[in-house]
């Protein structure tokens, strides 16, 4: 347990509010609580105990002393608030003692009962109230007791040593010590240990059974993989159960047999492979001969087929030649036919055009039609002005529509500008609200940057602190080693001193001279001088041991200095990192960095919002000007639309007059133009027909002459001789294919490979193929047999390794569980090793007390300069036997006497009791359920010590700082101020109240 922060208001002689930061105060591991007697030093300890347990430290004191009797600030309520840390977490508890307060109405006071509030904190420096746990006294007391792990009596006995009480344990009888030890160590835990050991014994036996079963299963698996017979399997199973040491030899024998079988199978497979290869070679040679004979036969068959097809090929060649003579005549025949068709088409076209003419023009000849065409041309020329006006009507319509659309657009723009002008105030208000929200965040950028830099500093300190803590652990181990060496050297000095004292008489006797007076008794007669013994020690040996002890002590002091230096550095880094570890500091840095980013983003938002606000205001001014402009423009557009409507009406009237009943002037002009075109078409078609008739006569005469010259009877004979392109390709391909195949057959028959080959030769392949198949089957059988042997060998190898692993695991389980079973038998007093038949719960109190005495002697040896040691005894007290041997005696190594603790002087009682109390706290720290005593208070008693003993006591207290423990020394001795820098100064005021100042 470690104390972090204490806050008192109106407590004892302190009417004001005072806060003590124990984490900062105890950075060096040792601090002084000093002030004159009665000023209130013990009140601070009472406040700590009261905050945790609702009672003060001393059982002889009352809680009424907590409420300050001195005038406090108006509205002040007596309270104690403590932040402390245990293995269960960090807690904050606030208590108020029962007190009288002024009535809310009227005069007098009313009794206010005691109250408590308990919170769980995320860390010692966590902000906010924390997680509330309880506001009820009983519930809070139970929660704190669970967290601390000590009752108030245990806490006071091990962590707070108030005035007059830390010697009670030294002077108490055995039964009182038993009660204290039972409360501190709780022997019921050792009864639970016995139960746990019984369970572990049962579990160990189960593990042994499981290991044996695993070995049996692995052996059976190996036997199955190796294909062993039933008798061999039973033999292996028996070895696995009864003779594990012989099992590896049996496994090796089986593996050797499997390896031999695999070698034999490999040899057989190799021989079968050679037979199969030779059979395959014979089959391949025969197959190649069959292929050659069949190829020769195929060539001869192709030759016969080509000879039979030769007449047909010659016929195809003749047809191709005739088609080549007829093909040039087709162009002349085609031209003559085209000319005749052109004449017929012209006759049809002239008739068609005349049918489309108006009835009055159809019977006219070419001359009359030309005169009619001229009249139509004159009428079309008279409509040109009306056509232009009619053509301009769409333009006039478009101009009118454009003017109307422009007017509508102008009106819409005017309405839109008016709407935007109406919406601008709301937009401006929204932007101003956005600015109001962003400006405070942007203004914090410099502060957030500073916080980020501080977080970065904390992270650096936390990172450096990790290395310091590693060195601190190493320094603590070095200190423990040096302390052990110094303790051993000190005991060696003490033993040599006792032996020298025991032999001092013989040493003096060795210097006696007959007739000269003795330096001790003065007698010149020396009748019986003491004789030296084998264990006699001289001054040089003692001096050498003392020098060794001085060297060990110097090494111990150097280790202590190193530890103090590292703790100081750790405290500085802890202060710089605010107690955060690397992960926490990194998280805080990330949070601070994000805050800087948010502030910078807010600055950008402010600039953007201000720009948009200025743009919005400029737009509002522009819109006012635009409203005036659009209003003037609308008036001009209204006049423009009226004028264009008038022009359009006049144009429509003139066009209707020129149309003369037609849908439009263009339709009338088109009808006249159509008549003109028809007349001209008839005239052109008539002229063209006459010209084509002349061409047709000339081409017909030329075609007849060409057909006769080529030797054909007529045009039909020419067309019959012609072939299509597909037919030509087919016949030409037939001829070329026949010629190419004949050439290929001739070349093939001339190949050397057919020399000496008889096409009638017959080669029997089937018997050879059957022989090759039988050889391959024999090879497959041999390969499978080899694979089976290989698989058995591999499987058996894996199984053997599994058996060996299971055997090794069984041996390891047997070896590992043997101590468990033996210890369980010993703890429950059922084994042969426990000759006294004392179970663990009975034995533990004596052992714990011996550990307490041993831990106390480590400090007592130093503080008493090697004179005193504590010893557990089984002596009787007041006529009754000590239960469990909890008696206590003090060994005086100088006088070689055993003394009762009550015979010690005041100063001796102080440092002997202090050593015993610190030893008790050490044992609790190491073995009382993991309770860590991080803060220790020692109250008074230093005034009874001489300067030399005080130095030794302070050295003992300094060593308590190992492992991060903080020791608070409570004293009014003036000399202590010069020895301890960090301190709480308690001072009286003129009005009798007190105040305190923390100097760290």
């Amino acid at each position: 347990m470690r104390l972090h922060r204490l806050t008192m208001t109106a407590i004892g002689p302190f009417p004001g509010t005072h806060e003590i930061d124990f984490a900062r105060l105890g950075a060096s591991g040792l601090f002084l609580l000093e002030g004159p007697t009665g000023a209130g030093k013990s009140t601070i300890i009472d406040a700590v105990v009261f905050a945790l347990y609702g009672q003060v430290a001393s059982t002889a004191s009352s809680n009424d002393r907590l409420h300050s009797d001195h005038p406090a600030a108006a509205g002040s309520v007596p309270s104690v608030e403590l932040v402390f840390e245990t293995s269960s977490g960090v807690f904050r508890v606030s208590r108020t003692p029962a007190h009288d307060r002024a009535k809310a109405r009227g005069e007098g006071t009313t009794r206010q009962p005691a109250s408590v509030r308990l919170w769980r904190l995320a860390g010692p420096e966590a902000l906010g109230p924390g997680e509330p746990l309880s506001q009820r006294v009983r519930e809070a007391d139970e929660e704190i007791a669970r967290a601390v792990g000590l009752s108030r009596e245990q806490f006071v006995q091990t962590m707070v040593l108030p005035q007059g009480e830390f010697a009670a344990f030294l002077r108490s009888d055995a039964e009182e010590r038993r009660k204290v030890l039972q409360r501190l160590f709780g022997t019921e835990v050792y009864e639970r240990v016995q139960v746990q050991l019984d369970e572990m014994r049962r579990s160990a036996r189960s593990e042994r059974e499981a290991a044996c079963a695993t070995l049996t299963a692995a052996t059976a698996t190996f036997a199955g993989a190796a294909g062993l017979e039933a008798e061999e399997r039973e033999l292996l199973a028996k070895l696995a159960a009864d003779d594990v040491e012989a099992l590896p030899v049996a496994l090796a024998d089986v593996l050797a047999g499997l390896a031999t079988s695999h070698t034999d199978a490999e040899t057989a497979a190799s021989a079968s492979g050679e037979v199969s290869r030779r059979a395959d070679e014979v089959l391949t040679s025969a197959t190649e001969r069959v292929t050659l004979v069949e190829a020769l036969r195929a060539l001869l068959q192709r030759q016969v087929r080509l000879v039979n097809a030769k007449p047909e090929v010659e016929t195809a060649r003749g047809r191709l030649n005739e088609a080549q003579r007829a093909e040039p005549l087709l162009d002349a025949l085609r031209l003559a036919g085209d000319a005749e068709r052109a004449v017929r088409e012209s006759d049809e076209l002239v008739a068609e055009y005349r049918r489309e003419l108006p009835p009055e023009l159809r019977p006219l000849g070419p001359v009359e039609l030309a005169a009619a065409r001229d009249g139509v041309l004159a009428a079309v020329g008279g409509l040109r002005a009306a056509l232009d006006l009619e053509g301009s009507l769409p333009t006039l319509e478009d101009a009118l529509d454009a003017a109307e659309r422009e007017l509508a657009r102008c009106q819409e723009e005017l309405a839109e500008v008016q709407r935007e002008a109406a919406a601008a105030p709301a937009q401006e208000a929204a932007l101003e609200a956005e600015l109001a929200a962003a400006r405070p965040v942007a203004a914090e950028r410099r502060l957030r940057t500073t916080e980020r830099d501080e977080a970065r500093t904390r992270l650096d300190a936390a990172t450096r602190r990790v290395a310091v803590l590693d060195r601190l652990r190493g320094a603590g181990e070095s200190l423990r080693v040096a302390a052990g060496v110094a303790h051993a050297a000190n005991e060696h000095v003490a033993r040599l001193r006792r032996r020298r004292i025991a032999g001092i008489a013989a040493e003096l006797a060795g210097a006696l001279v007959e007739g000269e007076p003795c330096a001790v008794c003065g007698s010149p007669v020396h009748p019986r001088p003491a004789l030296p013994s084998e264990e006699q020690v001289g001054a040089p040996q003692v001096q050498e041991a003392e020098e060794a002890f001085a060297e060990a002590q110097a090494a111990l002091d150097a280790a202590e200095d190193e530890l103090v230096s590292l703790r100081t550095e750790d405290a500085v880094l802890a202060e710089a990192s605010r107690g955060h570890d690397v992960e926490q500091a990194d998280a805080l840095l990330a949070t601070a960095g994000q805050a800087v980013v948010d502030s910078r983003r807010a600055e950008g938002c402010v600039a953007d919002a201000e720009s948009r606000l200025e743009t919005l205001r400029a737009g509002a001014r522009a819109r006012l000007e635009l409203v005036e402009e659009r209003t003037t423009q609308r008036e001009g557009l209204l006049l423009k639309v009226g004028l264009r409507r008038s022009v359009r009406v006049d144009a429509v009237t003139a066009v209707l007059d020129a149309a003369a009943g037609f849908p439009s002037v263009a339709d009338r002009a088109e009808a006249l133009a159509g008549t003109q075109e028809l007349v001209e078409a008839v005239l052109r078609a008539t002229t063209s027909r006459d010209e084509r008739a002349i061409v047709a006569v000339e081409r017909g005469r030329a075609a007849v002459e060409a057909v006769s010259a080529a030797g054909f009877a007529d045009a039909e004979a020419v067309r019959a001789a012609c072939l299509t392109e597909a037919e030509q390709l087919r016949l030409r391909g037939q001829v070329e294919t026949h010629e190419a195949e004949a050439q290929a057959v001739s070349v093939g028959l001339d190949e050397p490979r057919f020399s000496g080959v008889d096409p009638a030769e017959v080669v029997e392949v089937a018997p050879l193929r059957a022989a090759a198949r039988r050889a391959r089957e024999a090879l497959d059988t041999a390969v499978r047999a080899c694979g089976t042997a290989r698989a058995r060998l591999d499987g058996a190898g894996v199984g053997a390794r599994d058996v060996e692993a299971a055997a090794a695991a069984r041996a390891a389980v047997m070896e590992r569980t043997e101590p468990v079973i033996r210890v369980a038998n010993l703890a429950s007093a059922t084994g042969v090793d426990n000759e006294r038949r004392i179970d663990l719960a009975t034995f533990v109190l004596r052992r714990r007390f011996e550990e307490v005495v041993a831990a106390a002697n480590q400090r007592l040896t130093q503080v008493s300069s090697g004179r005193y040691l504590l010893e557990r005894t089984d002596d009787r007290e007041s006529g009754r036997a000590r239960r469990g041997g909890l008696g206590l005696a003090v060994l005086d190594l100088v006088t070689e006497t055993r003394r009762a603790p009550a015979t010690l002087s005041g100063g001796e009682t102080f440092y002997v009791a202090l050593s015993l109390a610190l030893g008790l706290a050490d044992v609790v720290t190491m073995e009382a359920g993991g309770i860590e005593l991080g803060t220790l208070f020692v109250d008074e008693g230093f005034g009874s010590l001489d300067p030399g003993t005080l130095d030794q006591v302070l050295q003992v207290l300094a060593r308590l700082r190992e492992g991060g423990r903080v020791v608070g020394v409570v004293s009014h001795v003036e000399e202590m101020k010069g020895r301890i820098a960090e301190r709480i100064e308690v001072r009286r005021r003129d009005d009798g109240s007190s105040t305190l100042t923390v100097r760290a």
Side-chain angles (χ1 to χ4, degrees), residues 102-108:
K103 291 182 177 180
R105 296 179 180 178
E107 298 180 353

Side-chain angles (χ1 to χ4, degrees), residues 923-1000:
V923 176
V924 169
T925 300
M926 293 183 292
E927 302 184 35
I931 300 173
E932 179 186 0
L933 303 182
T935 306
L936 176 68
F937 289 94
V938 180
D939 189 357
E940 284 298 350
F942 296 95
S944 61
L945 304 177
D946 60 79
T949 305
L950 180 60
D951 286 338
Q952 294 171 329
V953 169
L954 289 179
Q955 290 180 11
V956 171
L957 294 178
R959 288 191 177 91
L960 294 178
R961 296 175 293 181
E962 180 181 348
R965 179 183 293 170
V966 176
V967 179
V969 176
V970 185
S971 177
H972 64 278
V973 177
E974 190 68 23
E975 186 178 354
M976 301 291 281
K977 297 180 186 179
R979 296 172 179 262
I980 303 175
E982 286 75 14
R983 58 183 180 269
I984 305 173
E985 297 178 349
V986 180
R987 295 292 181 266
R988 283 192 178 277
R989 292 174 174 169
D990 294 338
D991 59 358
S993 65
S994 297
T995 184
L996 64 84
T997 302
V998 178
R999 302 191 183 279

Side-chain angles (χ1 to χ4, degrees), residues 110-127:
T110 182
R111 190 66 176 174
Q112 190 72 18
S115 65
V116 64
R117 297 185 70 185
L118 180 65
W119 300 268
R120 185 190 301 275
L121 305 180
E125 303 297 331
L127 302 177

Side-chain angles (χ1 to χ4, degrees), residues 195-214:
V195 174
Q196 180 65 28
L197 285 173
D198 289 339
E199 295 178 356
M200 293 173 65
R201 177 170 54 193
R202 288 193 294 273
S203 176
R205 288 172 176 169
S206 298
E207 285 188 61
R208 288 187 169 193
E209 294 173 358
C212 292
T214 301

Side-chain angles (χ1 to χ4, degrees), residues 7-12 14-17 50 66-69 72-73 75-81 94-101 112-115:
T7 304
M8 304 182 301
T9 300
I11 295 296
F14 303 101
T17 298
F50 174 74
L66 284 174
H67 183 205
S68 178
D69 295 327
S76 294
V77 176
S79 65
V80 176
E81 181 176 284
S94 177
R95 287 187 190 265
T96 60
H99 61 281
D100 295 329
R101 65 170 178 82
Q112 190 72 18
S115 65

Side-chain angles (χ1 to χ4, degrees), residues 82 110 404 431 465 477:
L82 178 66
T110 182
E404 289 176 343
L431 282 175
R465 191 184 181 201
E477 180 62 28

